[in-house]
Amino acid sequence: MRVLLVGAGGVGTAITRIAARRDFFDHFVVADYDPARAEAAVASLGGAGGRFTARRLDASDRAGVSALLREERCDVLVNATDPRFVMPLFEAALESGAHYLDMAMSLSRPHPARPHAECGVKLGDEQFERAEEWAESGRLALVGMGVEPGLSDVFARYAADELFDEIEEIGVRDGANLTVEGYEFAPSFSIWTTIEECLNPPVVFERERGWFTTPPFSEPEVFDFPEGIGPVECVNVEHEEVLLIPRWVDADRVTFKYGLGEDFIGKLRTLHALGLDSTEPVTVRSADGGTVRVSPRDVVAACLPDPATLGERMTGKTCAGTWVKGTRDGSPREVYLYHVVDNQWSMREYGTQAVVWQTAVNPVVALELLATGAWTGTGILGPEALPPRPFLDLLTAYGSPWGSREQGPAGK
């Protein structure tokens, strides 16, 4: 297997460090708009970097991506960029006859008249519009294959296959007790993506109603997370699982709630009130006295520390998981399937902070399953469309086991 990895930021660099310890691939081409980032990712592998090459690539340049895929004879494109670049990379892979894997899907657009009640363009809609072409190509586009979405979707499939007869609700619940020394506000993941997720109208799925939206930060609940993280208030957030899981898993309701905390929510609301969450360029004065067009959200991202650099200052754990409520053998049952990463462990073992490492390990596991033939498919598939047990077993073999907890309401 030859892989084109597009994006050498925190997640992309972590992907290289995890993959370098495995033998399922022949070569990784690590590409980034900033060639220094790609070169640094490869250089950090030391003697293990012989199967890796750094290249410069503009992820928005579909023709350039297609040309590099052909030149390097890559079998699969792994997208580790932010969601703005999903469609050119997705289309370049299809055009070039390569498989495709991403961790976040094509962007949504709110309903123009009723954004907090009805869906407009949903996450992934632009990709699923090309489903027939992908199926005819004989290639696989594995979408939403990070941790959330990704591992959370694998958990949903596993619960449906092995733990429940009927499912009332599948609720992805994400929480952490991570702190970053020296910063009043330092998100542990891309602020660009965080703003997109948290300020867009959240989507909920109900069998009788289909997909619909609610106001941001709706339906707060306190969820008790395992391994010492404890109770965290979680709220509805727009996320791909709600759009993916109902396509392949039978459930009455699907939700995604994120443990943001009151302070984080307050800062996001302030950004929105000031228009600093906007992606539409505005004209500002430049250092040379002229003017330049710049997106307010990009300015916010530039003012905050790079999440990939926060590991040394970060302490605590992060938890991604899927809570499932239903029945088994006629009796009520609730289970929380989860994956916890301790920042101290990920920094010691990989030199990568916990949130970034937890995101990165799952596409590498998926690549290995595709390389060995344990996972196969054509067309556009989510993780829940594939058998879960090989994935969960291999994740454990990577040294990062998952857990399962029988529980009652509110995560107790």
Side-chain angles (χ1 to χ4, degrees):
M1 174 183 278
R2 294 179 64 87
V3 180
L4 172 60
L5 170 65
V6 185
V11 172
T13 297
I15 285 174
T16 66
R17 293 177 182 178
I18 297 165
R21 302 187 184 189
R22 309 297 295 184
D23 61 5
F24 66 87
F25 66 95
D26 300 309
H27 198 77
F28 255 76
V29 179
V30 184
D32 197 278
Y33 186 79
D34 180 355
R37 291 210 308 180
E39 290 162 4
V42 173
S44 72
L45 301 175
R51 293 181 293 160
F52 295 79
T53 302
R55 297 289 297 269
R56 185 190 181 279
L57 182 67
D58 181 350
S60 68
D61 179 7
R62 173 178 164 179
V65 176
S66 295
L68 185 57
L69 281 166
R70 294 191 181 103
E71 177 188 339
E72 293 287 351
R73 298 174 289 109
C74 291
D75 304 293
V76 58
L77 186 158
V78 177
N79 177 2
T81 65
D82 75 52
R84 286 175 291 182
F85 303 108
V86 162
M87 289 311 295
L89 295 174
F90 174 82
E91 290 171 345
L94 177 61
E95 179 181 283
S96 305
H99 301 293
Y100 171 86
L101 186 154
D102 65 29
M103 289 159 273
M105 294 164 63
S106 59
L107 292 170
S108 65
R109 293 191 294 276
H111 191 280
R114 304 184 70 213
H116 297 151
E118 296 183 30
C119 295
V121 176
K122 302 187 298 300
L123 291 168
D125 275 358
E126 288 186 83
Q127 288 172 285
F128 279 108
E129 286 175 1
R130 309 293 297 276
E132 186 174 340
E133 292 172 75
W134 273 93
E136 290 174 353
S137 76
R139 296 293 185 265
L140 171 64
L142 180 55
V143 297
M145 190 60 255
V147 60
E148 292 173 341
L151 177 57
S152 50
D153 303 69
V154 173
F155 283 148
R157 175 82 269 163
Y158 173 75
D161 287 355
E162 301 195 25
L163 304 181
F164 289 84
D165 298 322
E166 294 183 352
I167 294 177
E168 179 181 329
E169 181 170 351
I170 296 173
V172 180
R173 299 293 184 265
D174 180 300
N177 62 359
L178 295 167
T179 59
V180 181
E181 180 185 357
Y183 290 99
E184 290 188 20
F185 186 54
S188 57
F189 203 70
S190 161
I191 188 61
W192 202 100
T193 304
T194 300
I195 289 172
E196 185 73 18
E197 292 175 349
C198 295
L199 292 178
N200 278 353
V203 180
V204 174
F205 173 84
E206 292 180 357
R207 186 191 302 275
E208 301 302 323
R209 188 174 174 183
W211 286 293
F212 62 94
T213 57
T214 72
F217 316 121
S218 57
E219 299 182 2
E221 68 176 52
V222 175
F223 193 89
D224 187 15
F225 289 91
E227 297 196 21
I229 295 174
V232 180
E233 185 175 78
C234 299
V235 293
N236 279 326
V237 167
E238 180 189 50
H239 232 251
E240 286 88 346
E241 291 95 324
V242 179
L243 288 311
L244 285 172
I245 290 172
R247 296 176 185 269
W248 288 282
V249 179
D250 192 21
D252 293 340
R253 194 170 196 261
V254 181
T255 58
F256 179 96
K257 292 188 179 183
Y258 197 5
L260 294 173
E262 192 174 318
D263 180 68
F264 198 98
I265 290 172
K267 286 182 169 64
L268 290 175
R269 283 179 167 153
T270 298
L271 290 175
H272 179 65
L274 295 174
L276 295 174
D277 61 325
S278 173
T279 60
E280 292 299 318
V282 297
T283 302
V284 298
R285 188 176 300 279
S286 63
D288 62 6
T291 60
V292 63
R293 298 278 289 171
V294 61
S295 155
R297 192 184 299 184
D298 286 339
V299 173
V300 172
C303 290
L304 292 171
D306 180 350
T309 67
L310 297 176
E312 296 290 350
R313 294 173 173 263
M314 187 182 293
T315 57
K317 299 177 181 180
T318 185
C319 178
T322 304
W323 162 74
V324 186
K325 179 182 180 182
T327 59
R328 179 71 164 185
D329 298 327
S331 299
R333 188 180 197 185
E334 293 186 41
V335 174
Y336 184 57
L337 304 166
Y338 63 88
H339 183 249
V340 173
V341 177
D342 187 317
N343 188 73
Q344 184 178 13
W345 175 86
S346 65
M347 287 298 297
R348 182 180 67 249
E349 293 293 321
Y350 288 89
T352 302
Q353 58 105 321
V355 176
V356 165
W357 190 91
Q358 189 182 45
T359 304
V361 68
N362 296 286
V364 181
V365 171
L367 285 174
E368 183 160 347
L369 292 175
L370 294 172
T372 62
W375 270 11
T376 61
T378 58
I380 301 176
L381 299 179
E384 55 279 278
L386 296 163
R389 178 57 75 176
F391 188 98
L392 296 174
D393 288 347
L394 188 55
L395 179 64
T396 300
Y398 271 52
S400 188
W402 56 283
S404 176
R405 181 181 71 186
E406 299 280 345
Q407 63 185 59
K412 297 179 181 178

Tab-separated table of all heavy atoms in Angstrom, residues 339-383:
chain	number	residue	atom	x	y	z
A	339	HIS	N	-13.143	5.081	24.860
A	339	HIS	CA	-11.698	5.029	24.639
A	339	HIS	C	-11.103	6.250	25.335
A	339	HIS	O	-11.481	7.388	25.040
A	339	HIS	CB	-11.406	5.068	23.137
A	339	HIS	CG	-9.959	4.947	22.783
A	339	HIS	ND1	-9.226	5.994	22.242
A	339	HIS	CD2	-9.098	3.895	22.878
A	339	HIS	CE1	-7.991	5.588	22.009
A	339	HIS	NE2	-7.880	4.324	22.382
A	340	VAL	N	-10.202	6.015	26.261
A	340	VAL	CA	-9.572	7.080	27.040
A	340	VAL	C	-8.084	7.132	26.721
A	340	VAL	O	-7.423	6.090	26.639
A	340	VAL	CB	-9.781	6.859	28.555
A	340	VAL	CG1	-8.969	7.871	29.370
A	340	VAL	CG2	-11.261	6.973	28.907
A	341	VAL	N	-7.567	8.332	26.541
A	341	VAL	CA	-6.130	8.529	26.344
A	341	VAL	C	-5.630	9.524	27.383
A	341	VAL	O	-6.196	10.613	27.536
A	341	VAL	CB	-5.808	9.038	24.922
A	341	VAL	CG1	-4.307	9.295	24.773
A	341	VAL	CG2	-6.277	8.030	23.877
A	342	ASP	N	-4.587	9.132	28.086
A	342	ASP	CA	-3.934	9.990	29.076
A	342	ASP	C	-2.833	10.780	28.367
A	342	ASP	O	-1.978	10.196	27.694
A	342	ASP	CB	-3.339	9.119	30.182
A	342	ASP	CG	-2.782	9.931	31.341
A	342	ASP	OD1	-2.114	10.950	31.084
A	342	ASP	OD2	-2.994	9.542	32.499
A	343	ASN	N	-2.862	12.110	28.516
A	343	ASN	CA	-1.882	12.940	27.822
A	343	ASN	C	-0.445	12.582	28.211
A	343	ASN	O	0.461	12.616	27.375
A	343	ASN	CB	-2.145	14.420	28.111
A	343	ASN	CG	-1.273	15.322	27.263
A	343	ASN	OD1	-1.489	15.456	26.067
A	343	ASN	ND2	-0.258	15.930	27.873
A	344	GLN	N	-0.223	12.224	29.469
A	344	GLN	CA	1.120	11.854	29.899
A	344	GLN	C	1.615	10.633	29.126
A	344	GLN	O	2.778	10.568	28.708
A	344	GLN	CB	1.143	11.575	31.404
A	344	GLN	CG	2.516	11.275	31.958
A	344	GLN	CD	2.489	11.057	33.471
A	344	GLN	OE1	1.424	10.896	34.073
A	344	GLN	NE2	3.654	11.061	34.092
A	345	TRP	N	0.717	9.670	28.900
A	345	TRP	CA	1.083	8.471	28.148
A	345	TRP	C	1.388	8.801	26.682
A	345	TRP	O	2.419	8.376	26.134
A	345	TRP	CB	-0.038	7.438	28.223
A	345	TRP	CG	0.210	6.230	27.370
A	345	TRP	CD1	0.912	5.120	27.699
A	345	TRP	CD2	-0.222	6.043	25.999
A	345	TRP	NE1	0.948	4.242	26.638
A	345	TRP	CE2	0.264	4.782	25.594
A	345	TRP	CE3	-0.967	6.806	25.119
A	345	TRP	CZ2	0.021	4.273	24.313
A	345	TRP	CZ3	-1.200	6.310	23.837
A	345	TRP	CH2	-0.716	5.054	23.450
A	346	SER	N	0.501	9.552	26.020
A	346	SER	CA	0.704	9.824	24.593
A	346	SER	C	1.945	10.680	24.353
A	346	SER	O	2.646	10.498	23.355
A	346	SER	CB	-0.540	10.496	23.983
A	346	SER	OG	-0.766	11.773	24.547
A	347	MET	N	2.237	11.600	25.284
A	347	MET	CA	3.451	12.402	25.141
A	347	MET	C	4.695	11.534	25.342
A	347	MET	O	5.678	11.662	24.607
A	347	MET	CB	3.437	13.554	26.136
A	347	MET	CG	2.456	14.662	25.796
A	347	MET	SD	2.831	15.468	24.206
A	347	MET	CE	4.453	16.165	24.553
A	348	ARG	N	4.650	10.656	26.324
A	348	ARG	CA	5.807	9.800	26.595
A	348	ARG	C	6.052	8.814	25.458
A	348	ARG	O	7.194	8.593	25.030
A	348	ARG	CB	5.592	9.035	27.907
A	348	ARG	CG	6.774	8.144	28.287
A	348	ARG	CD	6.522	7.396	29.582
A	348	ARG	NE	5.456	6.415	29.459
A	348	ARG	CZ	4.262	6.518	30.052
A	348	ARG	NH1	3.980	7.557	30.815
A	348	ARG	NH2	3.348	5.574	29.877
A	349	GLU	N	4.974	8.228	24.938
A	349	GLU	CA	5.118	7.172	23.941
A	349	GLU	C	5.304	7.700	22.519
A	349	GLU	O	6.001	7.080	21.712
A	349	GLU	CB	3.886	6.260	23.978
A	349	GLU	CG	3.744	5.458	25.253
A	349	GLU	CD	4.850	4.420	25.394
A	349	GLU	OE1	5.214	3.807	24.378
A	349	GLU	OE2	5.356	4.246	26.521
A	350	TYR	N	4.666	8.840	22.200
A	350	TYR	CA	4.665	9.315	20.817
A	350	TYR	C	5.048	10.777	20.661
A	350	TYR	O	5.149	11.261	19.527
A	350	TYR	CB	3.278	9.105	20.198
A	350	TYR	CG	2.951	7.660	19.910
A	350	TYR	CD1	2.338	6.860	20.873
A	350	TYR	CD2	3.253	7.090	18.677
A	350	TYR	CE1	2.038	5.529	20.614
A	350	TYR	CE2	2.956	5.761	18.406
A	350	TYR	CZ	2.345	4.987	19.380
A	350	TYR	OH	2.058	3.674	19.118
A	351	GLY	N	5.222	11.505	21.765
A	351	GLY	CA	5.509	12.933	21.660
A	351	GLY	C	4.360	13.726	21.083
A	351	GLY	O	4.548	14.777	20.460
A	352	THR	N	3.134	13.255	21.309
A	352	THR	CA	1.932	13.848	20.720
A	352	THR	C	0.873	14.006	21.799
A	352	THR	O	0.639	13.073	22.575
A	352	THR	CB	1.386	12.946	19.595
A	352	THR	OG1	2.408	12.773	18.599
A	352	THR	CG2	0.175	13.559	18.943
A	353	GLN	N	0.211	15.173	21.834
A	353	GLN	CA	-0.813	15.379	22.864
A	353	GLN	C	-2.018	14.474	22.637
A	353	GLN	O	-2.274	13.988	21.542
A	353	GLN	CB	-1.206	16.865	22.967
A	353	GLN	CG	-1.734	17.494	21.691
A	353	GLN	CD	-3.230	17.694	21.707
A	353	GLN	OE1	-3.965	16.848	22.196
A	353	GLN	NE2	-3.679	18.808	21.157
A	354	ALA	N	-2.774	14.258	23.704
A	354	ALA	CA	-3.769	13.189	23.757
A	354	ALA	C	-4.880	13.306	22.725
A	354	ALA	O	-5.254	12.313	22.085
A	354	ALA	CB	-4.374	13.124	25.161
A	355	VAL	N	-5.455	14.494	22.562
A	355	VAL	CA	-6.588	14.652	21.647
A	355	VAL	C	-6.153	14.388	20.211
A	355	VAL	O	-6.849	13.722	19.436
A	355	VAL	CB	-7.211	16.051	21.794
A	355	VAL	CG1	-8.335	16.257	20.781
A	355	VAL	CG2	-7.739	16.260	23.211
A	356	VAL	N	-4.989	14.910	19.850
A	356	VAL	CA	-4.450	14.705	18.510
A	356	VAL	C	-4.131	13.227	18.284
A	356	VAL	O	-4.470	12.648	17.245
A	356	VAL	CB	-3.206	15.597	18.324
A	356	VAL	CG1	-2.405	15.168	17.105
A	356	VAL	CG2	-3.623	17.059	18.205
A	357	TRP	N	-3.482	12.581	19.259
A	357	TRP	CA	-3.127	11.164	19.107
A	357	TRP	C	-4.380	10.304	18.986
A	357	TRP	O	-4.441	9.394	18.149
A	357	TRP	CB	-2.292	10.687	20.293
A	357	TRP	CG	-1.715	9.321	20.065
A	357	TRP	CD1	-0.518	9.020	19.513
A	357	TRP	CD2	-2.357	8.055	20.357
A	357	TRP	NE1	-0.345	7.654	19.441
A	357	TRP	CE2	-1.465	7.040	19.939
A	357	TRP	CE3	-3.577	7.700	20.911
A	357	TRP	CZ2	-1.765	5.691	20.076
A	357	TRP	CZ3	-3.892	6.348	21.032
A	357	TRP	CH2	-2.979	5.363	20.622
A	358	GLN	N	-5.378	10.592	19.818
A	358	GLN	CA	-6.604	9.789	19.796
A	358	GLN	C	-7.310	9.898	18.450
A	358	GLN	O	-7.912	8.931	17.969
A	358	GLN	CB	-7.542	10.234	20.919
A	358	GLN	CG	-8.738	9.319	21.110
A	358	GLN	CD	-9.661	9.805	22.199
A	358	GLN	OE1	-9.991	10.986	22.271
A	358	GLN	NE2	-10.064	8.902	23.079
A	359	THR	N	-7.257	11.056	17.829
A	359	THR	CA	-7.832	11.215	16.494
A	359	THR	C	-7.033	10.444	15.461
A	359	THR	O	-7.588	9.776	14.592
A	359	THR	CB	-7.877	12.708	16.118
A	359	THR	OG1	-8.610	13.431	17.107
A	359	THR	CG2	-8.517	12.916	14.755
A	360	ALA	N	-5.697	10.517	15.570
A	360	ALA	CA	-4.821	9.978	14.531
A	360	ALA	C	-4.747	8.458	14.505
A	360	ALA	O	-4.542	7.864	13.438
A	360	ALA	CB	-3.417	10.553	14.711
A	361	VAL	N	-4.882	7.798	15.642
A	361	VAL	CA	-4.679	6.349	15.663
A	361	VAL	C	-5.734	5.610	14.845
A	361	VAL	O	-5.442	4.576	14.217
A	361	VAL	CB	-4.639	5.820	17.115
A	361	VAL	CG1	-5.992	5.931	17.802
A	361	VAL	CG2	-4.139	4.369	17.147
A	362	ASN	N	-6.937	6.131	14.787
A	362	ASN	CA	-8.024	5.392	14.144
A	362	ASN	C	-7.891	5.291	12.625
A	362	ASN	O	-8.117	4.211	12.065
A	362	ASN	CB	-9.359	6.009	14.558
A	362	ASN	CG	-9.589	5.863	16.046
A	362	ASN	OD1	-9.892	4.783	16.524
A	362	ASN	ND2	-9.414	6.940	16.792
A	363	PRO	N	-7.530	6.350	11.900
A	363	PRO	CA	-7.303	6.151	10.466
A	363	PRO	C	-6.149	5.207	10.165
A	363	PRO	O	-6.180	4.500	9.144
A	363	PRO	CB	-7.017	7.566	9.949
A	363	PRO	CG	-6.735	8.401	11.137
A	363	PRO	CD	-7.474	7.776	12.265
A	364	VAL	N	-5.140	5.165	11.036
A	364	VAL	CA	-4.035	4.229	10.803
A	364	VAL	C	-4.525	2.791	10.970
A	364	VAL	O	-4.204	1.914	10.165
A	364	VAL	CB	-2.855	4.526	11.739
A	364	VAL	CG1	-1.709	3.551	11.463
A	364	VAL	CG2	-2.364	5.963	11.568
A	365	VAL	N	-5.316	2.539	12.013
A	365	VAL	CA	-5.899	1.203	12.195
A	365	VAL	C	-6.737	0.832	10.979
A	365	VAL	O	-6.658	-0.291	10.453
A	365	VAL	CB	-6.745	1.160	13.482
A	365	VAL	CG1	-7.537	-0.152	13.567
A	365	VAL	CG2	-5.859	1.319	14.720
A	366	ALA	N	-7.552	1.784	10.500
A	366	ALA	CA	-8.397	1.514	9.338
A	366	ALA	C	-7.556	1.197	8.103
A	366	ALA	O	-7.876	0.277	7.338
A	366	ALA	CB	-9.312	2.703	9.068
A	367	LEU	N	-6.480	1.948	7.888
A	367	LEU	CA	-5.596	1.673	6.748
A	367	LEU	C	-5.028	0.261	6.820
A	367	LEU	O	-4.939	-0.442	5.806
A	367	LEU	CB	-4.459	2.692	6.713
A	367	LEU	CG	-4.783	4.098	6.233
A	367	LEU	CD1	-3.573	5.003	6.419
A	367	LEU	CD2	-5.226	4.096	4.774
A	368	GLU	N	-4.628	-0.155	8.010
A	368	GLU	CA	-4.064	-1.496	8.146
A	368	GLU	C	-5.117	-2.565	7.845
A	368	GLU	O	-4.820	-3.574	7.196
A	368	GLU	CB	-3.485	-1.695	9.545
A	368	GLU	CG	-2.831	-3.049	9.712
A	368	GLU	CD	-1.845	-3.134	10.868
A	368	GLU	OE1	-1.449	-2.088	11.418
A	368	GLU	OE2	-1.460	-4.268	11.215
A	369	LEU	N	-6.354	-2.339	8.275
A	369	LEU	CA	-7.417	-3.297	7.975
A	369	LEU	C	-7.692	-3.359	6.473
A	369	LEU	O	-7.962	-4.440	5.922
A	369	LEU	CB	-8.697	-2.908	8.724
A	369	LEU	CG	-8.648	-3.039	10.250
A	369	LEU	CD1	-9.936	-2.507	10.858
A	369	LEU	CD2	-8.425	-4.485	10.688
A	370	LEU	N	-7.634	-2.212	5.795
A	370	LEU	CA	-7.824	-2.207	4.344
A	370	LEU	C	-6.658	-2.893	3.637
A	370	LEU	O	-6.853	-3.634	2.670
A	370	LEU	CB	-7.970	-0.764	3.849
A	370	LEU	CG	-9.230	-0.018	4.313
A	370	LEU	CD1	-9.151	1.443	3.922
A	370	LEU	CD2	-10.488	-0.651	3.724
A	371	ALA	N	-5.440	-2.661	4.145
A	371	ALA	CA	-4.261	-3.268	3.517
A	371	ALA	C	-4.258	-4.783	3.637
A	371	ALA	O	-3.823	-5.491	2.722
A	371	ALA	CB	-2.990	-2.689	4.150
A	372	THR	N	-4.750	-5.294	4.758
A	372	THR	CA	-4.755	-6.739	4.985
A	372	THR	C	-5.994	-7.425	4.431
A	372	THR	O	-6.063	-8.656	4.413
A	372	THR	CB	-4.657	-7.044	6.482
A	372	THR	OG1	-5.807	-6.495	7.164
A	372	THR	CG2	-3.387	-6.448	7.078
A	373	GLY	N	-6.995	-6.636	3.999
A	373	GLY	CA	-8.230	-7.207	3.495
A	373	GLY	C	-9.244	-7.541	4.566
A	373	GLY	O	-10.309	-8.094	4.266
A	374	ALA	N	-8.968	-7.197	5.840
A	374	ALA	CA	-9.945	-7.428	6.906
A	374	ALA	C	-11.160	-6.525	6.737
A	374	ALA	O	-12.259	-6.867	7.160
A	374	ALA	CB	-9.292	-7.197	8.275
A	375	TRP	N	-10.930	-5.350	6.151
A	375	TRP	CA	-12.024	-4.462	5.752
A	375	TRP	C	-11.986	-4.319	4.235
A	375	TRP	O	-10.907	-4.064	3.663
A	375	TRP	CB	-11.874	-3.091	6.386
A	375	TRP	CG	-12.543	-2.938	7.732
A	375	TRP	CD1	-13.071	-3.929	8.501
A	375	TRP	CD2	-12.738	-1.715	8.452
A	375	TRP	NE1	-13.594	-3.412	9.655
A	375	TRP	CE2	-13.394	-2.055	9.659
A	375	TRP	CE3	-12.412	-0.396	8.206
A	375	TRP	CZ2	-13.749	-1.092	10.608
A	375	TRP	CZ3	-12.756	0.573	9.157
A	375	TRP	CH2	-13.430	0.225	10.338
A	376	THR	N	-13.135	-4.488	3.589
A	376	THR	CA	-13.242	-4.291	2.146
A	376	THR	C	-14.559	-3.591	1.851
A	376	THR	O	-15.513	-3.675	2.628
A	376	THR	CB	-13.197	-5.623	1.383
A	376	THR	OG1	-14.302	-6.452	1.797
A	376	THR	CG2	-11.890	-6.367	1.625
A	377	GLY	N	-14.604	-2.935	0.707
A	377	GLY	CA	-15.851	-2.298	0.302
A	377	GLY	C	-15.607	-1.366	-0.865
A	377	GLY	O	-14.472	-1.020	-1.193
A	378	THR	N	-16.706	-0.966	-1.506
A	378	THR	CA	-16.652	0.016	-2.576
A	378	THR	C	-17.750	1.037	-2.344
A	378	THR	O	-18.706	0.800	-1.612
A	378	THR	CB	-16.835	-0.629	-3.954
A	378	THR	OG1	-18.096	-1.327	-3.980
A	378	THR	CG2	-15.707	-1.601	-4.261
A	379	GLY	N	-17.607	2.189	-2.976
A	379	GLY	CA	-18.569	3.262	-2.793
A	379	GLY	C	-18.216	4.108	-1.583
A	379	GLY	O	-17.090	4.071	-1.091
A	380	ILE	N	-19.180	4.867	-1.092
A	380	ILE	CA	-18.975	5.721	0.070
A	380	ILE	C	-19.541	5.015	1.294
A	380	ILE	O	-20.739	4.724	1.358
A	380	ILE	CB	-19.661	7.089	-0.109
A	380	ILE	CG1	-19.121	7.802	-1.349
A	380	ILE	CG2	-19.450	7.955	1.123
A	380	ILE	CD1	-19.801	9.118	-1.649
A	381	LEU	N	-18.679	4.725	2.256
A	381	LEU	CA	-19.089	4.016	3.463
A	381	LEU	C	-18.624	4.782	4.691
A	381	LEU	O	-17.556	5.391	4.698
A	381	LEU	CB	-18.492	2.608	3.503
A	381	LEU	CG	-18.868	1.640	2.368
A	381	LEU	CD1	-18.158	0.305	2.575
A	381	LEU	CD2	-20.373	1.445	2.293
A	382	GLY	N	-19.438	4.709	5.760
A	382	GLY	CA	-19.014	5.158	7.068
A	382	GLY	C	-18.440	3.980	7.837
A	382	GLY	O	-18.619	2.811	7.448
A	383	PRO	N	-17.759	4.230	8.955
A	383	PRO	CA	-17.147	3.148	9.727
A	383	PRO	C	-18.150	2.109	10.205
A	383	PRO	O	-17.808	0.929	10.350
A	383	PRO	CB	-16.506	3.872	10.913
A	383	PRO	CG	-16.307	5.276	10.439
A	383	PRO	CD	-17.447	5.557	9.518
